[in-house]
Structure formats: C-alpha cells, structure tokens
Amino acid sequence: MKNKTNFPSQEGEAHPSRCPDNSAFKQQRLPAWKPRLNIATVLSSFFLTGAFCLTVGVCLILSANSVREIQIDYSDKCSDCSKFRENSSNWNKECHCSVNFTLKEDILGDVFMYYGLQNFYQNHRRYVISRSDAQLLGRNVNIQRSYCAPFTTYRNGTPMAPCGAIANSMFNDTIDLFYNRNSSVIQVPLLKTGNSWWTDKNVKFRNPESYNLSSAFAGTARPPYWQKPVYLLDEEDERNTGYVNDDFIVWMRVSAFATFRNLYRRVRRIRHFVDGLPAGNYTFRISYNFPVSKFKGRKHVILSTVVWSGGSNPFLGIAYVVSGTAATLAAFVITAIHLKLRKKKTYFQRQ
C-alpha cells in the first residue's frame, strides 16, 4: 500500500497564520521606560519611606491616645440575672440590674456608647452565611432554599422573619444611662438612630411594602430567641423598626474576632450634656436578656469619644511605626554595605 499524504492542492487552502498583527503594540515595539537604580536612588527611597511611615505612625498613636474611654464589665455585677436567664422557661420575664461608676473628669465632645462581647465567635462559616439577603431586602422569597437552616421555619411551617442564626442571636440587652446630680437622677438622652452605615440603611436592608408593618409581616413569626417580632423592634419610631432597625443592622455586620464591640447609642448633646458627659456619678440600668455564661463570655459597656483617625485602637499607628523602623534600619544596613564595598574597591584599585 502507498502512504497518502494530504497536501493543499491550492495556495488558498493553506492554514491562516496565527502570528499577531505586525503592529507596534502587538509586536511590543512601543517605547518603554525602565528605572536605572543607583545607590543614591535606593537609599533616598528607603529613608523617605521610613520617615513617612514613622511620622504617620506617631501621629496615629498620639491621636488614639487622646481618645477618652471608660469600659464597664457588667458580667459579674449582673450575675443574678445571668443565672435567671440560664433557665429557658424565663424567656418572657424581665430581669434588671444596675451598675454604678464615677467619671473623675469631663468627657467633652461627642460621646458614643458601645456594647462589647468577649469569647463570642461570629466567624464560623455556617454562622456567617446563615442569613437571607433577599428576605432582608423585603422580597417575598422561599427561605427554605436559603442558608438559614435550622432557623428557617417552625414545626408548623411558619417562616421566621428574619431567618438565620445571625438574626436569632441578636444582642438584645437594653442599656440606659443615668446621671446622679445633687441628689437628683437625670436620664442621659441617647440617640438610637444614625448608628448604621448609609448603604445598609438605604440599600441592603428594606422592609416589605405594605400599608403597615404588622400586615407586611403577617404569616411570619419571630426568631426563637427574640422576645418580640421584628416589626416591634422600635415601637416609638416607625422609620427605625423592622429590617431597617439600626440595632438589627449593626448586629448583622458580623465580626472577624471573638472579642468585639458594636455601636449602640450616641449621647444627645442637650441641656446638661451639651458639652458631653460632665464628671460625676453615673448608673447603668440594664435589662438583662442576652445570656453569655454558657459560652464563658463577658459583656461590657463602653463610653468613648472618637477622633479623626477613629477610636482608641493604636494598631494602625504601631504598624506604621514598625514599617518605618524596618525601612530606616534597612537603609542604614545598605549604606554600611555600600561603604564597605566601596572601600574594598578603592583598595584593590590602588594595588
């Protein structure tokens, strides 16, 4: 048998070329620039970077240290209520406790109140995804197809609103602040709105459309650990209830660490508190609803001011100082090596 080889019978039947077009861009003939580093350029870059980082780091640390902050741990001081909450049959009963403290100096300016949790892990994968973003946008969705399980429906088939483990574990202690002034007790006015991000309040969270919220959430039930339905989260302000409640929105932004704080209230600067919190004796009155003893957690209330760089966290400033120190030390090491090698080169040239 003869071997048959297929050759194109005509020039037009040959395969087209796969080479790029003969253009300056595709053939990489465009003008280019490449820095030619010398010792002066390298050392100046390292020294300037080190000086910049050290300057910014020192400014950030000084700014963080200027923040006035007081932190009150009420886990042990409310131990009776903690034991009361360990009994699940008391879920619909109230328990109150008080914590006294003293401000030795005035806290001037805007004062923010945070609640802090310790040893509460929100970074578990199943916990983080246990929510329905479509439901939180006010849409009528089948939450059985979401990641909310097992907090989707009750045994009778009634869906939960909102569903998921994050919403079910929402922090629900109520904290009020009182100022003891000349044998009289004055309640510190606190703002409970304006504590969430604009994008959360106007984009990521919306209530179902209806003529009132009770009818909008008809056919749903509150999560198991909640004491009241979602449309009653704020009975005084209808613009701050349901899925657009500030406390709920802040809680749904999970933390990456086991110890964290969330913004709870802001001091309203009127009457006795127009300049901030004056020095004196204060009392936190707490409606204790959030148990932490089962996971060996702790609860705090933090009163703090803020500055242009944020709160009293010096981590960013320390990071800049460490980076600037490393860059400066590297510059000195390079300088020493350069001087040593130049000295050797000069010696051999003389020889």
Side-chain angles (χ1 to χ4, degrees), residues 229-244:
V230 65
Y231 56 87
L232 295 179
L233 287 179
D234 189 348
E235 301 181 48
E236 300 176 357
D237 188 357
E238 62 180 7
R239 296 172 300 177
N240 188 46
T241 192
Y243 294 150
V244 295

Side-chain angles (χ1 to χ4, degrees), residues 16-147:
S17 175
R18 302 180 63 182
C19 294
D21 295 338
N22 188 20
S23 63
F25 176 76
K26 293 187 177 181
Q27 295 296 338
Q28 298 184 9
R29 294 196 300 267
L30 291 174
W33 176 83
K34 183 174 67 173
R36 299 185 62 181
L37 300 178
N38 52 40
I39 189 62
T41 305
V42 172
L43 288 180
S44 60
S45 300
F46 272 91
F47 277 116
L48 289 175
T49 302
F52 173 78
C53 290
L54 287 173
T55 303
V56 174
V58 171
C59 292
L60 289 174
I61 291 176
L62 293 176
S63 177
N65 290 337
S66 66
V67 173
R68 294 291 311 280
E69 179 176 301
I70 180 171
Q71 181 170 306
I72 306 296
D73 187 331
Y74 66 94
S75 304
D76 297 330
K77 297 179 181 179
C78 297
S79 57
D80 293 337
C81 285
S82 178
K83 295 178 181 178
F84 181 82
R85 284 293 171 224
E86 289 180 0
N87 187 351
S88 59
S89 62
N90 297 325
W91 68 270
N92 59 345
K93 300 177 182 179
E94 294 185 356
C95 186
H96 301 271
C97 60
S98 299
V99 180
N100 300 319
F101 66 98
T102 301
L103 287 181
K104 297 182 180 180
E105 298 179 357
D106 296 345
I107 300 181
L108 302 178
D110 294 328
V111 182
F112 298 82
M113 180 189 293
Y114 301 83
Y115 63 84
L117 290 178
Q118 183 177 342
N119 206 37
F120 188 92
Y121 290 85
Q122 289 189 308
N123 56 2
H124 193 280
R125 185 183 64 86
R126 288 288 302 276
Y127 183 88
V128 172
I129 65 175
S130 184
R131 58 188 292 164
S132 173
D133 291 321
Q135 183 193 48
L136 298 177
L137 283 171
R139 300 172 183 171
N140 186 13
V141 295
N142 182 10
I143 59 175
Q144 291 282 11
R145 298 179 181 179
S146 67
Y147 295 102

Side-chain angles (χ1 to χ4, degrees), residues 149-165:
F151 301 101
T152 51
T153 59
Y154 286 91
R155 293 182 179 178
N156 59 2
T158 304
M160 298 182 190
C163 69

Side-chain angles (χ1 to χ4, degrees), residues 174-301:
T174 301
I175 306 171
D176 294 315
L177 180 61
F178 294 87
Y179 175 44
N180 306 317
R181 180 176 180 269
N182 299 330
S183 69
S184 62
V185 179
I186 303 173
Q187 184 171 4
V188 179
L190 300 174
L191 297 171
K192 56 185 175 181
T193 57
N195 301 324
S196 59
W197 296 348
W198 184 91
T199 52
D200 288 341
K201 192 83 171 181
N202 297 274
V203 178
K204 298 176 64 175
F205 294 84
R206 293 179 183 175
N207 285 324
E209 295 183 0
S210 182
Y211 62 92
N212 60 49
L213 279 184
S214 60
S215 62
F217 289 98
T220 64
R222 58 175 177 79
Y225 290 170
W226 286 27
Q227 295 178 327
K228 52 187 176 181
V230 65
Y231 56 87
L232 295 179
L233 287 179
D234 189 348
E235 301 181 48
E236 300 176 357
D237 188 357
E238 62 180 7
R239 296 172 300 177
N240 188 46
T241 192
Y243 294 150
V244 295
N245 177 260
D246 273 44
D247 292 338
F248 174 70
I249 292 174
V250 170
W251 177 259
M252 293 299 290
R253 193 185 312 124
V254 296
S255 172
F257 301 99
T259 299
F260 61 92
R261 64 176 63 178
N262 284 335
L263 182 59
Y264 182 67
R265 296 290 185 266
R266 292 175 294 129
V267 175
R268 187 179 181 185
R269 298 175 63 176
I270 57 173
R271 297 192 294 273
H272 303 288
F273 313 99
V274 66
D275 296 323
L277 291 179
N281 298 320
Y282 290 83
T283 300
F284 280 125
R285 293 184 184 176
I286 302 167
S287 176
Y288 198 104
N289 300 309
F290 193 85
V292 295
S293 56
K294 289 186 178 181
F295 57 87
K296 299 180 181 179
R298 311 286 298 181
K299 294 195 290 187
H300 308 83
V301 184

